[in-house]
């Protein structure tokens, strides 16, 4: 009865236009939020370093060969980098100033012994539990992060010996030993792999172990800082790239490619999110205006219904439920369209060799429900004010 009186005689062209606008806005909004999240996750995988974290060093030039320029970072260089807007965190990578060898100590893999290069970084740059990334003299073993290329070399060596290759999980259970040496003294320490990295060429050890080795087995020459670990803030990768070009600094090529991809894609999706929010907002205003016009045009009918004994709450609820249905239809259509678009985009990315998580993101759906809730609340008060005004 109420529906026929209030809605059936209305011109719905404005409503349809607003619904189309809201539908497009919601579809773009959900899609943009989903892929912004997935793009920011891209490249992490099983990498042990944190997001947007990379190693930088100075470029080698002819001046370095002629010993007319230095490759190490001075305290002034480090301080200048820390003050840059794009720098989230920065810390020197400490290298070993002592002789160290790594050898296998397990029946699972063939015996192998080699001189190695070790470095230490702070735990904040890794995704390893801080309780696992620590060491002190007397501990059962030293936790290390192994370059994945080292495991490839180990498996190549094992295959040549007729021994099955070692997986990542199995490698973490294999016993290794460090041998620290200096003139006249030597020490062996048990080692255990806790993670792997594609970004670092050296074996990573906790800072406390590096300090112990450099204190007790150091060579006469003072250690130099030639590499830094930097984490770049989200959305500022372009500034970071321009800075390192101007100052003849370089980073690993694949880190730069992933960082640039994430920065460009992140910027594009952020712009699309902003446009989507504006579209949804404008469509919501049109829907609210339509509700106001509906109440205004039906002022006589509403007054008549009130005189016949209909309560204001019942009329308000009828108007509210009508627009809840409209908004629910828009939301459902948007989510369904997003699901279809997602299948297409995921397939295109997979074909192009970009592997991202195909699971749905909670935040993208949550954005629709939040908008739904906000619109319902605003529409309730709008309908209440309009109906009560007729009293």
């Amino acid at each position: 009865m109420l529906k026929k009186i209030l809605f059936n005689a209305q011109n719905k062209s404005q409503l349809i236009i607003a619904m189309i606008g809201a539908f497009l806005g919601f579809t773009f909004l959900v899609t943009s939020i989903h892929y912004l999240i997935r793009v920011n996750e891209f490249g992490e995988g099983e990498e042990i370093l944190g997001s947007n974290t990379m190693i930088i060093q100075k470029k080698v030039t002819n001046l370095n060969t002629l010993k007319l320029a230095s490759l190490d970072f001075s305290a002034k260089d480090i301080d200048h980098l820390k003050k840059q807007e794009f720098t989230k965190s920065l810390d020197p990578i400490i290298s070993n100033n002592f002789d160290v060898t790594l050898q296998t100590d397990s029946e699972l893999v063939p015996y192998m012994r080699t001189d190695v290069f070790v470095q230490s970084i702070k735990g904040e740059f890794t995704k390893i539990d801080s309780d696992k990334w620590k060491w002190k003299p007397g501990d059962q073993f030293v936790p290390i992060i192994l370059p994945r290329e080292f495991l490839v070399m180990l498996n190549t060596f094992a295959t040549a010996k007729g021994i099955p290759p070692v997986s990542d999980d199995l490698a973490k259970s294999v016993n290794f030993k460090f041998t620290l040496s200096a003139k006249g003294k030597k020490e062996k320490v048990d080692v255990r792999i806790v993670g792997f990295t594609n970004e670092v060429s050296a074996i990573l050890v906790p800072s406390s172990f590096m300090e112990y080795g450099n204190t007790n087995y150091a060579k006469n020459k003072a250690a130099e800082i030639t590499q830094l670990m930097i984490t770049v803030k989200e959305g500022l990768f372009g500034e970071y790239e321009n800075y390192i070009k101007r100052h003849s600094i370089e980073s690993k090529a694949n880190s730069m490619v992933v960082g640039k991809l994430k920065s460009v894609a992140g910027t594009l999706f952020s712009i699309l999110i902003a446009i989507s929010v504006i579209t949804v907002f404008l469509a919501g205003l049109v829907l609210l205006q339509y509700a106001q016009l509906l109440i205004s045009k039906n002022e006589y009918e509403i007054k008549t219904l009130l005189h016949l004994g209909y309560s204001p709450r019942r009329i308000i609820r009828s108007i509210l439920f009508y627009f809840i249905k409209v908004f629910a239809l828009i939301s459902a259509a948007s989510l369904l369209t997003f699901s279809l678009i997602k299948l297409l985009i995921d397939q295109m990315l997979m074909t192009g060799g970009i592997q991202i998580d195909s699971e749905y993101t909670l935040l993208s759906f949550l954005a629709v429900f939040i908008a739904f809730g906000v619109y319902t609340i605003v529409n309730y008060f709008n309908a209440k004010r309009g109906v009560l005004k007729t009293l």
Side-chain angles (χ1 to χ4, degrees), residues 7 39 53 71 75 134 187 278 324:
F7 306 111
V39 164
T53 297
L71 288 175
K134 62 181 181 179
E187 180 181 356
I278 293 172
I324 285 178

Side-chain angles (χ1 to χ4, degrees), residues 7-52:
F7 306 111
N8 284 1
Q10 299 302 314
N11 184 351
K12 292 186 171 55
S13 58
Q14 184 181 10
L15 176 64
I16 293 171
I17 292 172
M19 289 177 67
I20 293 173
F23 163 74
L24 293 175
F26 273 143
T27 303
F28 292 147
L29 181 63
V30 177
T31 305
S32 302
I33 292 175
H34 173 81
Y35 283 103
L36 180 62
I37 294 171
R38 290 299 180 230
V39 164
N40 285 328
E41 293 173 349
F42 177 70
E44 293 183 12
E46 296 181 359
E47 177 57 48
I48 211 71
L49 298 183
S51 178
N52 291 345

Side-chain angles (χ1 to χ4, degrees), residues 64 86 125 202 225 262 273 287 290 300 362:
N64 302 121
F86 57 76
F125 291 98
I225 297 173
K262 291 169 68 173
I273 287 173
L287 286 172
Y290 179 82
Y300 174 77
L362 177 61

Side-chain angles (χ1 to χ4, degrees), residues 108-238:
L108 298 173
V109 294
Y111 176 78
M112 184 181 71
R113 184 173 182 270
T114 180
D115 291 332
V116 292
F117 179 54
V118 297
Q119 294 180 318
S120 67
I121 59 174
K122 288 185 176 180
E124 65 187 81
F125 291 98
T126 73
K127 294 185 286 187
I128 295 179
D129 189 341
S130 58
D131 291 335
K132 295 180 180 179
W133 191 243
K134 62 181 181 179
W135 178 87
K136 65 180 184 299
D139 281 356
Q140 186 179 0
F141 62 86
V142 178
I144 65 170
I145 298 173
L146 196 69
R148 197 166 294 280
E149 58 196 34
F150 189 93
L151 184 61
V152 172
M153 181 184 69
L154 181 63
N155 280 330
T156 303
F157 182 70
T159 303
K161 294 287 186 179
I163 299 173
V166 179
S167 66
D168 288 7
D169 291 335
L170 184 58
K172 291 179 181 180
S173 64
V174 172
N175 293 322
F176 292 87
K177 283 186 180 294
F178 272 153
T179 300
L180 287 64
S181 59
K183 291 181 179 179
K185 59 178 180 178
K186 185 180 293 187
E187 180 181 356
K188 289 191 175 184
V189 185
D190 289 330
V191 173
R192 188 70 57 82
I193 300 170
V194 295
F196 298 92
T197 178
N198 293 309
E199 300 300 321
V200 187
S201 299
I203 295 174
L204 297 179
V205 298
S207 301
S208 54
F209 177 78
M210 183 66 73
E211 184 179 348
Y212 175 83
N214 281 336
T215 300
N216 295 282
Y217 296 92
K219 300 176 182 178
N220 294 329
K221 183 182 177 181
E224 297 178 340
I225 297 173
T226 58
Q227 291 183 314
L228 303 174
M229 185 72 75
I230 184 171
T231 300
V232 181
K233 293 178 181 177
E234 292 286 351
L236 296 179
F237 189 83

Side-chain angles (χ1 to χ4, degrees), residues 54 73-74 123 128 140 155 186 234 242 331 341 357:
M54 57 199 78
F73 289 94
S74 65
I128 295 179
Q140 186 179 0
N155 280 330
K186 185 180 293 187
E234 292 286 351
N242 291 333
S331 301
I341 292 174
D357 192 341

Side-chain angles (χ1 to χ4, degrees), residues 42 261 344-355:
F42 177 70
L261 172 65
L344 178 62
I345 294 177
D346 285 352
Q347 184 61 44
M348 291 172 61
L349 292 175
M350 188 177 299
T351 303
I354 300 176
Q355 302 292 331

